[in-house]
PDB file of all heavy atoms in Angstrom:
ATOM      1  N   GLY B 149     111.354 135.523 128.285  1.00 88.00           N
ATOM      2  CA  GLY B 149     112.324 135.891 129.316  1.00 88.00           C
ATOM      3  C   GLY B 149     113.669 136.255 128.708  1.00 88.00           C
ATOM      4  O   GLY B 149     114.257 137.284 129.039  1.00 88.00           O
ATOM      5  N   VAL B 150     114.128 135.424 127.782  1.00 86.00           N
ATOM      6  CA  VAL B 150     115.417 135.695 127.141  1.00 86.00           C
ATOM      7  C   VAL B 150     115.366 137.027 126.405  1.00 86.00           C
ATOM      8  O   VAL B 150     116.284 137.843 126.475  1.00 86.00           O
ATOM      9  CB  VAL B 150     115.799 134.543 126.183  1.00 86.00           C
ATOM     10  CG1 VAL B 150     116.896 134.974 125.239  1.00 86.00           C
ATOM     11  CG2 VAL B 150     116.227 133.335 126.979  1.00 86.00           C
ATOM     12  N   GLU B 151     114.245 137.262 125.733  1.00 85.00           N
ATOM     13  CA  GLU B 151     114.094 138.505 124.993  1.00 85.00           C
ATOM     14  C   GLU B 151     114.120 139.704 125.954  1.00 85.00           C
ATOM     15  O   GLU B 151     114.771 140.717 125.703  1.00 85.00           O
ATOM     16  CB  GLU B 151     112.769 138.462 124.217  1.00 85.00           C
ATOM     17  CG  GLU B 151     112.584 139.578 123.224  1.00 85.00           C
ATOM     18  CD  GLU B 151     113.635 139.567 122.134  1.00 85.00           C
ATOM     19  OE1 GLU B 151     114.235 138.499 121.881  1.00 85.00           O
ATOM     20  OE2 GLU B 151     113.885 140.637 121.548  1.00 85.00           O
ATOM     21  N   ASN B 152     113.412 139.556 127.067  1.00 84.00           N
ATOM     22  CA  ASN B 152     113.373 140.613 128.070  1.00 84.00           C
ATOM     23  C   ASN B 152     114.750 140.923 128.619  1.00 84.00           C
ATOM     24  O   ASN B 152     115.135 142.072 128.775  1.00 84.00           O
ATOM     25  CB  ASN B 152     112.494 140.166 129.243  1.00 84.00           C
ATOM     26  CG  ASN B 152     111.155 140.846 129.213  1.00 84.00           C
ATOM     27  OD1 ASN B 152     111.094 142.041 129.394  1.00 84.00           O
ATOM     28  ND2 ASN B 152     110.113 140.090 128.955  1.00 84.00           N
ATOM     29  N   VAL B 153     115.472 139.855 128.942  1.00 83.00           N
ATOM     30  CA  VAL B 153     116.804 140.046 129.510  1.00 83.00           C
ATOM     31  C   VAL B 153     117.716 140.709 128.479  1.00 83.00           C
ATOM     32  O   VAL B 153     118.483 141.606 128.786  1.00 83.00           O
ATOM     33  CB  VAL B 153     117.389 138.696 129.976  1.00 83.00           C
ATOM     34  CG1 VAL B 153     118.854 138.837 130.317  1.00 83.00           C
ATOM     35  CG2 VAL B 153     116.604 138.182 131.172  1.00 83.00           C
ATOM     36  N   ARG B 154     117.568 140.270 127.225  1.00 84.00           N
ATOM     37  CA  ARG B 154     118.397 140.825 126.162  1.00 84.00           C
ATOM     38  C   ARG B 154     118.141 142.336 126.018  1.00 84.00           C
ATOM     39  O   ARG B 154     119.062 143.145 126.055  1.00 84.00           O
ATOM     40  CB  ARG B 154     118.059 140.130 124.839  1.00 84.00           C
ATOM     41  CG  ARG B 154     118.987 140.440 123.697  1.00 84.00           C
ATOM     42  CD  ARG B 154     118.499 139.763 122.430  1.00 84.00           C
ATOM     43  NE  ARG B 154     117.315 140.454 121.911  1.00 84.00           N
ATOM     44  CZ  ARG B 154     117.401 141.520 121.136  1.00 84.00           C
ATOM     45  NH1 ARG B 154     118.560 142.004 120.795  1.00 84.00           N
ATOM     46  NH2 ARG B 154     116.309 142.111 120.700  1.00 84.00           N
ATOM     47  N   VAL B 155     116.857 142.682 125.896  1.00 84.00           N
ATOM     48  CA  VAL B 155     116.520 144.094 125.727  1.00 84.00           C
ATOM     49  C   VAL B 155     116.885 144.875 126.990  1.00 84.00           C
ATOM     50  O   VAL B 155     117.470 145.964 126.923  1.00 84.00           O
ATOM     51  CB  VAL B 155     115.012 144.242 125.412  1.00 84.00           C
ATOM     52  CG1 VAL B 155     114.616 145.698 125.439  1.00 84.00           C
ATOM     53  CG2 VAL B 155     114.702 143.614 124.071  1.00 84.00           C
ATOM     54  N   GLY B 156     116.581 144.274 128.146  1.00 82.00           N
ATOM     55  CA  GLY B 156     116.880 144.931 129.414  1.00 82.00           C
ATOM     56  C   GLY B 156     118.369 145.182 129.566  1.00 82.00           C
ATOM     57  O   GLY B 156     118.803 146.237 130.030  1.00 82.00           O
ATOM     58  N   MET B 157     119.155 144.186 129.121  1.00 81.00           N
ATOM     59  CA  MET B 157     120.597 144.295 129.232  1.00 81.00           C
ATOM     60  C   MET B 157     121.100 145.454 128.363  1.00 81.00           C
ATOM     61  O   MET B 157     121.871 146.290 128.805  1.00 81.00           O
ATOM     62  CB  MET B 157     121.224 142.983 128.783  1.00 81.00           C
ATOM     63  CG  MET B 157     122.663 142.827 129.114  1.00 81.00           C
ATOM     64  SD  MET B 157     123.141 141.118 128.867  1.00 81.00           S
ATOM     65  CE  MET B 157     123.664 141.161 127.185  1.00 81.00           C
ATOM     66  N   ARG B 158     120.606 145.493 127.138  1.00 84.00           N
ATOM     67  CA  ARG B 158     121.033 146.565 126.239  1.00 84.00           C
ATOM     68  C   ARG B 158     120.660 147.923 126.794  1.00 84.00           C
ATOM     69  O   ARG B 158     121.447 148.865 126.767  1.00 84.00           O
ATOM     70  CB  ARG B 158     120.382 146.399 124.867  1.00 84.00           C
ATOM     71  CG  ARG B 158     120.961 145.244 124.126  1.00 84.00           C
ATOM     72  CD  ARG B 158     120.589 145.285 122.668  1.00 84.00           C
ATOM     73  NE  ARG B 158     121.335 144.242 121.980  1.00 84.00           N
ATOM     74  CZ  ARG B 158     121.718 144.313 120.725  1.00 84.00           C
ATOM     75  NH1 ARG B 158     121.412 145.358 119.996  1.00 84.00           N
ATOM     76  NH2 ARG B 158     122.388 143.342 120.180  1.00 84.00           N
ATOM     77  N   GLU B 159     119.424 148.000 127.304  1.00 84.00           N
ATOM     78  CA  GLU B 159     118.985 149.289 127.825  1.00 84.00           C
ATOM     79  C   GLU B 159     119.776 149.681 129.039  1.00 84.00           C
ATOM     80  O   GLU B 159     120.200 150.816 129.195  1.00 84.00           O
ATOM     81  CB  GLU B 159     117.515 149.190 128.221  1.00 84.00           C
ATOM     82  CG  GLU B 159     116.638 149.767 127.158  1.00 84.00           C
ATOM     83  CD  GLU B 159     115.196 149.657 127.548  1.00 84.00           C
ATOM     84  OE1 GLU B 159     114.897 149.763 128.757  1.00 84.00           O
ATOM     85  OE2 GLU B 159     114.382 149.436 126.657  1.00 84.00           O
ATOM     86  N   SER B 160     119.955 148.683 129.901  1.00 82.00           N
ATOM     87  CA  SER B 160     120.679 148.940 131.119  1.00 82.00           C
ATOM     88  C   SER B 160     122.084 149.445 130.797  1.00 82.00           C
ATOM     89  O   SER B 160     122.579 150.394 131.400  1.00 82.00           O
ATOM     90  CB  SER B 160     120.699 147.652 131.927  1.00 82.00           C
ATOM     91  OG  SER B 160     121.591 147.751 132.975  1.00 82.00           O
ATOM     92  N   PHE B 161     122.702 148.842 129.775  1.00 83.00           N
ATOM     93  CA  PHE B 161     124.037 149.287 129.386  1.00 83.00           C
ATOM     94  C   PHE B 161     124.006 150.701 128.830  1.00 83.00           C
ATOM     95  O   PHE B 161     124.802 151.539 129.210  1.00 83.00           O
ATOM     96  CB  PHE B 161     124.650 148.325 128.355  1.00 83.00           C
ATOM     97  CG  PHE B 161     125.463 147.241 128.967  1.00 83.00           C
ATOM     98  CD1 PHE B 161     124.846 146.135 129.520  1.00 83.00           C
ATOM     99  CD2 PHE B 161     126.841 147.326 129.024  1.00 83.00           C
ATOM    100  CE1 PHE B 161     125.594 145.127 130.101  1.00 83.00           C
ATOM    101  CE2 PHE B 161     127.597 146.324 129.608  1.00 83.00           C
ATOM    102  CZ  PHE B 161     126.969 145.225 130.148  1.00 83.00           C
ATOM    103  N   SER B 162     123.049 150.941 127.918  1.00 85.00           N
ATOM    104  CA  SER B 162     123.114 152.257 127.293  1.00 85.00           C
ATOM    105  C   SER B 162     122.584 153.344 128.222  1.00 85.00           C
ATOM    106  O   SER B 162     122.857 154.512 128.014  1.00 85.00           O
ATOM    107  CB  SER B 162     122.389 152.266 125.947  1.00 85.00           C
ATOM    108  OG  SER B 162     121.123 151.726 126.095  1.00 85.00           O
ATOM    109  N   ASN B 163     121.864 152.945 129.287  1.00 86.00           N
ATOM    110  CA  ASN B 163     121.405 153.942 130.245  1.00 86.00           C
ATOM    111  C   ASN B 163     122.473 154.318 131.251  1.00 86.00           C
ATOM    112  O   ASN B 163     122.300 155.238 132.035  1.00 86.00           O
ATOM    113  CB  ASN B 163     120.194 153.409 131.024  1.00 86.00           C
ATOM    114  CG  ASN B 163     118.925 153.591 130.234  1.00 86.00           C
ATOM    115  OD1 ASN B 163     118.869 154.443 129.363  1.00 86.00           O
ATOM    116  ND2 ASN B 163     117.927 152.797 130.538  1.00 86.00           N
ATOM    117  N   THR B 164     123.555 153.550 131.269  1.00 88.00           N
ATOM    118  CA  THR B 164     124.563 153.778 132.285  1.00 88.00           C
ATOM    119  C   THR B 164     125.267 155.110 132.085  1.00 88.00           C
ATOM    120  O   THR B 164     125.650 155.769 133.022  1.00 88.00           O
ATOM    121  CB  THR B 164     125.580 152.626 132.256  1.00 88.00           C
ATOM    122  OG1 THR B 164     124.891 151.456 132.632  1.00 88.00           O
ATOM    123  CG2 THR B 164     126.713 152.864 133.213  1.00 88.00           C
ATOM    124  N   ILE B 165     125.424 155.486 130.829  1.00 88.00           N
ATOM    125  CA  ILE B 165     126.159 156.722 130.594  1.00 88.00           C
ATOM    126  C   ILE B 165     125.445 157.537 129.546  1.00 88.00           C
ATOM    127  O   ILE B 165     124.936 157.007 128.570  1.00 88.00           O
ATOM    128  CB  ILE B 165     127.614 156.420 130.188  1.00 88.00           C
ATOM    129  CG1 ILE B 165     128.407 157.708 130.102  1.00 88.00           C
ATOM    130  CG2 ILE B 165     127.676 155.619 128.911  1.00 88.00           C
ATOM    131  CD1 ILE B 165     129.886 157.444 130.136  1.00 88.00           C
ATOM    132  N   SER B 166     125.350 158.833 129.794  1.00 89.00           N
ATOM    133  CA  SER B 166     124.702 159.673 128.797  1.00 89.00           C
ATOM    134  C   SER B 166     125.397 161.029 128.786  1.00 89.00           C
ATOM    135  O   SER B 166     125.967 161.449 129.792  1.00 89.00           O
ATOM    136  CB  SER B 166     123.198 159.742 129.084  1.00 89.00           C
ATOM    137  OG  SER B 166     122.800 160.975 129.550  1.00 89.00           O
ATOM    138  N   GLN B 167     125.366 161.664 127.655  1.00 91.00           N
ATOM    139  CA  GLN B 167     125.955 162.989 127.432  1.00 91.00           C
ATOM    140  C   GLN B 167     127.483 163.008 127.485  1.00 91.00           C
ATOM    141  O   GLN B 167     128.072 164.083 127.433  1.00 91.00           O
ATOM    142  CB  GLN B 167     125.386 164.020 128.407  1.00 91.00           C
ATOM    143  CG  GLN B 167     123.902 164.205 128.199  1.00 91.00           C
ATOM    144  CD  GLN B 167     123.302 165.264 129.106  1.00 91.00           C
ATOM    145  OE1 GLN B 167     124.018 165.948 129.812  1.00 91.00           O
ATOM    146  NE2 GLN B 167     121.999 165.383 129.081  1.00 91.00           N
ATOM    147  N   THR B 168     128.111 161.860 127.620  1.00 94.00           N
ATOM    148  CA  THR B 168     129.573 161.844 127.545  1.00 94.00           C
ATOM    149  C   THR B 168     129.964 161.620 126.091  1.00 94.00           C
ATOM    150  O   THR B 168     129.477 160.677 125.464  1.00 94.00           O
ATOM    151  CB  THR B 168     130.137 160.716 128.424  1.00 94.00           C
ATOM    152  OG1 THR B 168     129.903 161.041 129.781  1.00 94.00           O
ATOM    153  CG2 THR B 168     131.631 160.539 128.204  1.00 94.00           C
ATOM    154  N   ASP B 169     130.804 162.496 125.561  1.00 95.00           N
ATOM    155  CA  ASP B 169     131.142 162.394 124.144  1.00 95.00           C
ATOM    156  C   ASP B 169     132.292 161.434 123.905  1.00 95.00           C
ATOM    157  O   ASP B 169     132.306 160.718 122.912  1.00 95.00           O
ATOM    158  CB  ASP B 169     131.488 163.779 123.593  1.00 95.00           C
ATOM    159  CG  ASP B 169     130.271 164.694 123.606  1.00 95.00           C
ATOM    160  OD1 ASP B 169     129.188 164.233 123.179  1.00 95.00           O
ATOM    161  OD2 ASP B 169     130.397 165.845 124.057  1.00 95.00           O
ATOM    162  N   LEU B 170     133.260 161.416 124.814  1.00 95.00           N
ATOM    163  CA  LEU B 170     134.422 160.550 124.623  1.00 95.00           C
ATOM    164  C   LEU B 170     134.851 159.966 125.960  1.00 95.00           C
ATOM    165  O   LEU B 170     134.686 160.606 127.005  1.00 95.00           O
ATOM    166  CB  LEU B 170     135.607 161.342 124.051  1.00 95.00           C
ATOM    167  CG  LEU B 170     135.533 161.813 122.597  1.00 95.00           C
ATOM    168  CD1 LEU B 170     136.731 162.714 122.312  1.00 95.00           C
ATOM    169  CD2 LEU B 170     135.489 160.633 121.637  1.00 95.00           C
TER     170      LEU B 170
END
Side-chain angles (χ1 to χ4, degrees):
Chain B
V150 164
E151 190 62 23
N152 256 293
V153 169
R154 189 183 73 84
V155 172
M157 193 167 91
R158 288 195 172 210
E159 260 180 34
S160 168
F161 268 79
S162 50
N163 278 337
T164 295
I165 186 162
S166 109
Q167 297 182 7
T168 292
D169 294 314
L170 289 173

